Amino acid sequence: MPKKIDFYRLSRPMQDRFAAATRRLAPPAPLLFGPAPRTRAWGYLGASVLFAAAAALVLHMGWGEVSSPLALHGTKALAVDVALFAAAAYCVVHAAAILRGLEVMPWRPGMFLFPAAVVDARRPVLQVWSVSDAAAIERIASPPGLALRMQDGGRVVVPAESMAEVERADTALQALRGDLAKATAAQDPHMLAELDPLHDSALSSPIGPTEAMKRTLPTWIRLDWAIALAIGAAAGLGLGTTRNSMSDEAMYRGLVSSGNIPDYESYLTHGGRHSDEVREVLLPRAQLQQAEAQGTVEAVQDFAASHPASKIGPEIDAAVHRVMLAELEKAKKVGTVAALDQFTRKYPDRSVARELKAARHALYAQALAAWKEKTETDPSAKAFMERLLAWAEKNGATSEMRFRLKPSKSIDDADKSAVKSGHFPGPDALPSKYVVPAALRPREEKVEQSLAQAFAAAFPSDVLVLQPAEPLAADAPAPTKVPTLVVEYSPEWSHSSMASMKPDTVFAGLNFTFDSSFSLPDGAPLKVTVKAWRGAELWKIKGDGMTREDFEQKVYDSMIDGAYDQLDKKLEDTFF
């Protein structure tokens, strides 16, 4: 086993003599020298490169990739950055410390073969093997060196640059082994000092320093770990922060150019510098596009309702307008006001009010144009119909037709005249019996239905419809809330009578004056007057086999029906 000697515990004369011997400035000169290897320093430098490469790899991982959890380094990732850069810095500083430590040694560090000893002087604690203890000395070819095989089986190798040096050292050592044996046997201090640089000769220079050398290392070597930590923190945090900023900008550019909802949401989980803009503008914009792509008004309206104070309010309004227009186009293709009204009820939003109004107006204009093309009415009727359709466009398609039966002023005189006739058969032949309201109402209804059907054939029911309504009382005012066609009349005696011989009876002539007024809630009404004088047309009735009562009924029915038919024709000619 080697003898261990702390260089800094030696006396100053021995320290100086050993240091001088290693540099061949004082005896004994080393027979063979292998400089201390720098392998550890190079190993640390290599490790530094690996740590730096690992740090660069970690910085690169996830850079600019919004889907990567390492897109932005958080606290843990930054700690890894700091640790890697600190490790790289420590390896560099420690390698420099190793090299510097070798340079500041008072002796020349390495393995020495002296005539009396092999000294491993690569560290402050020297390891010394006595040559006297060597059982054999061997030359080693690869790598070149000289090995001393000790008596206990141990083996000490002193490296050399070439076999020539090995041979010279071996020859010199063999030559000096005899001197070493004599000096050892005689315990000659001077001779031993000439052969062993660590032999205490008890002689020192009276003018040299007496205080032993102490091991001193620069502060930066002793605090290499603190320096490395400071460098790692500065580099890791600085580069990590800069890398985060650049990665953030790269992610943002990618989001602006081709971002989608998952990417925006991933970016928000990273908490980048543009999070507010992504959260308030880009993500809602993408969600709006997705909602609009569904092709339904409800999807966009739901989105708008969930973002009442969005910064992309104008874009939301524009999207709502677009989908409403698309839905309106579907309603327009149906080609009915009812479809447009259904659209209005389903989507009361007023964003397409102008377009909806134009679409409705187009249908009414088409209906009016089609009516004009098929009819040849007078200008006053055309002007009234234009006003009627304009009112219907604003207020609804419904208009009404009502009859107002006024009390007759002369039918009692007709009864008196009939009674005075010599052909009067009895009370059941009184003319007033045939013009009571119950007898006239079916005729009114027939005219109402006929005119209503004419309107239905000319106009779509959701554009304009004429509905029969209950008759007005004689003194009731005309309705003012909806357009109403009021036909006012009373059955009067024409002041003429006609007797029948077979059967024996008498008939009064009737006169109907129908004053029709089609009025709107505003503006002048359209007036149509029909005067119908009806006499008994006995020749048209075949009375054979018919009772007198039936014959009378037939004659009066013909007179009255003719008057209402005349009214119906006049009204239809007026409008159609």
Side-chain angles (χ1 to χ4, degrees), residues 428-451:
D428 58 351
L430 292 174
S432 61
K433 169 187 172 184
Y434 297 97
V435 291
V436 295
L440 299 180
R441 181 58 189 156
R443 276 93 176 188
E444 295 175 352
E445 291 176 345
K446 182 179 179 181
V447 174
E448 290 173 345
Q449 291 295 333
S450 178
L451 192 60

Side-chain angles (χ1 to χ4, degrees), residues 44 83 302 411 537:
Y44 276 107
D302 290 344
I411 199 67
E537 298 175 325

Side-chain angles (χ1 to χ4, degrees), residues 5 168 207 228 354 386 437 489:
I5 300 174
R168 286 196 298 271
I207 60 175
R354 180 174 59 85
E386 290 176 354
Y489 73 103

Side-chain angles (χ1 to χ4, degrees), residues 183-195:
T184 301
Q187 288 297 307
D188 185 346
H190 298 290
M191 181 64 70
L192 290 174
E194 291 292 329
L195 300 174

Side-chain angles (χ1 to χ4, degrees), residues 260-282:
N260 51 53
I261 292 177
D263 287 345
Y264 290 132
E265 292 174 343
S266 296
Y267 181 86
L268 292 177
T269 61
H270 294 307
R273 291 186 302 172
H274 301 281
S275 291
D276 289 343
E277 183 177 359
V278 170
R279 182 183 302 106
E280 298 173 1
V281 177
L282 297 182

Side-chain angles (χ1 to χ4, degrees), residues 35 87 89 518 527 532 539:
F518 206 158
K527 294 182 177 294
W539 65 91

Side-chain angles (χ1 to χ4, degrees), residues 91-138:
C91 290
V92 172
V93 175
H94 196 63
I98 292 173
L99 297 176
R100 181 59 179 165
L102 294 175
E103 292 177 359
V104 300
M105 286 183 176
W107 67 94
R108 189 181 180 189
M111 288 285 291
F112 294 90
L113 173 61
F114 291 101
V118 173
V119 181
D120 182 354
R122 292 174 293 183
R123 295 177 180 80
V125 177
L126 309 177
Q127 298 190 67
V128 182
W129 290 266
S130 175
V131 173
S132 301
D133 294 336
I137 299 175
E138 302 173 352

Side-chain angles (χ1 to χ4, degrees), residues 316-377:
I316 296 176
D317 294 340
V320 171
H321 186 74
R322 286 193 296 272
V323 295
M324 290 284 282
L325 282 180
E327 198 67 24
L328 177 59
E329 286 300 319
K330 297 177 183 178
K332 287 168 62 177
K333 288 180 179 179
V334 178
T336 64
V337 175
L340 297 180
D341 290 341
Q342 183 180 6
F343 172 86
T344 303
R345 291 190 296 271
K346 187 175 182 180
Y347 306 113
D349 185 274
R350 304 293 296 172
S351 62
V352 292
R354 180 174 59 85
E355 294 85 353
L356 178 60
K357 181 179 179 181
R360 285 177 58 86
H361 179 72
L363 293 178
Y364 281 91
Q366 291 171 6
L368 180 61
W371 174 80
K372 287 182 177 181
E373 185 178 349
K374 295 178 181 179
T375 60
E376 295 181 359
T377 59

